[in-house]
Amino acid sequence: MFRTLILVATLALGGCMSPPVDLDLSRERATVDHRYAVKVRPMGEPIALGKLHSWEVSVRQPSGQPVTGARFAVDGGMPQHHHGLPTQPQVTRELGDGRYLLEGVKFSMSGWWELKLKIDAAPGPDKVTFNLVLP
């Protein structure tokens, strides 16, 4: 019982932690292996907590050429709370010019979130993580 109380207290205090001061909050970045330049943007601002929303994902080769026919796996969560996203967002369609529609995104609380994308297209598989801090 005592261990359970310590665990609950630790998790609760972890939720009060501030995100790292050097956290990169840019919404445009290169993938890990530099196969793609990826940009994400919510379809509406501000990002509403507790509601489903959509994002546009733009994928280009480093040369600037749009990437078409890409396949995605979406993951993420709150690193300081040790839990994932409350939904299973999916890229539902290609919008043209290397742009894709990501639907079903939901952030259930304020704090530091990660949005992780695995991308597979003709140049090969790669991944990228975006950091978001929601008030």
Side-chain angles (χ1 to χ4, degrees), residues 1-16 81:
M1 180 69 176
F2 184 69
R3 285 186 197 179
T4 303
L5 289 174
I6 289 175
L7 177 62
V8 169
T10 301
L11 291 174
L13 289 174
C16 299
H81 286 239

Side-chain angles (χ1 to χ4, degrees), residues 13-27:
L13 289 174
C16 299
M17 295 171 49
S18 296
V21 292
D22 60 346
L23 193 62
D24 183 351
L25 298 176
S26 65
R27 294 194 185 164

Side-chain angles (χ1 to χ4, degrees), residues 19-117:
V21 292
D22 60 346
L23 193 62
D24 183 351
L25 298 176
S26 65
R27 294 194 185 164
E28 185 171 356
R29 61 181 44 200
T31 53
V32 171
D33 293 329
H34 301 280
R35 285 189 174 101
Y36 308 105
V38 182
K39 183 177 182 180
V40 294
R41 87 174 170 86
M43 300 300 275
E45 295 263 11
I47 299 169
L49 293 177
K51 296 187 180 194
L52 289 175
H53 44 93
S54 300
W55 289 63
E56 180 182 289
V57 179
S58 173
V59 184
R60 298 190 173 273
Q61 294 180 19
S63 66
Q65 181 73 21
V67 173
T68 60
R71 293 172 306 283
F72 295 83
V74 182
D75 197 9
M78 296 190 84
Q80 293 175 316
H81 286 239
H82 309 288
H83 67 75
L85 294 168
T87 59
Q88 296 178 335
Q90 295 181 9
V91 172
T92 57
R93 64 184 156 121
E94 193 166 342
L95 301 172
D97 195 35
R99 296 174 305 117
Y100 298 83
L101 182 62
L102 172 62
E103 295 185 292
V105 179
K106 181 178 179 181
F107 302 109
S108 54
M109 60 191 302
S110 60
W112 170 28
W113 287 88
E114 290 180 329
L115 183 61
K116 299 178 180 186
L117 302 174

